[in-house]
Amino acid sequence: MPDVTNIEVLVGKEATDSTSGESKKSTPTKPAESAEVSGHHWTTRYMRCYRCGGVSWVEYDTRHYHTYDCCYCGARNIF
């Protein structure tokens, strides 16, 4: 049985109106693994929403996405 005692979960904070950049919606199921392209790959992480506490998956990529919308309540999260 795998060790599930140390699972890293990013905890979101409320995004301000001045947050710029693209947003991505979280997903209740793990996104499909994508292949590495040009030396860059997607990293998937768990996210816990600051508003509803729901835990979902995000494609964590700070170069492209600056906010993540919770798939459960729609709140905009930043890390």
Side-chain angles (χ1 to χ4, degrees):
M1 182 169 215
D3 178 17
V4 293
T5 57
N6 294 316
I7 299 173
E8 181 181 352
V9 178
L10 300 172
V11 179
K13 293 178 259 183
E14 184 175 9
T16 62
D17 289 339
S18 63
T19 306
S20 62
E22 292 185 53
S23 290
K24 178 85 173 168
K25 186 169 184 172
S26 69
T27 178
T29 56
K30 187 174 183 179
E33 296 293 329
S34 57
E36 186 171 342
V37 179
S38 301
H40 181 71
H41 66 277
W42 296 107
T43 301
T44 56
R45 301 259 173 92
Y46 281 115
M47 175 189 86
R48 183 168 64 87
C49 178
Y50 77 90
R51 185 193 305 168
C52 72
V55 176
S56 57
W57 288 91
V58 294
E59 293 175 347
Y60 186 69
D61 183 356
T62 56
R63 291 196 308 183
H64 293 98
Y65 304 120
H66 299 277
T67 60
Y68 296 88
D69 295 336
C70 176
C71 65
Y72 301 112
C73 72
R76 186 150 291 179
N77 288 260
I78 60 171
F79 302 112

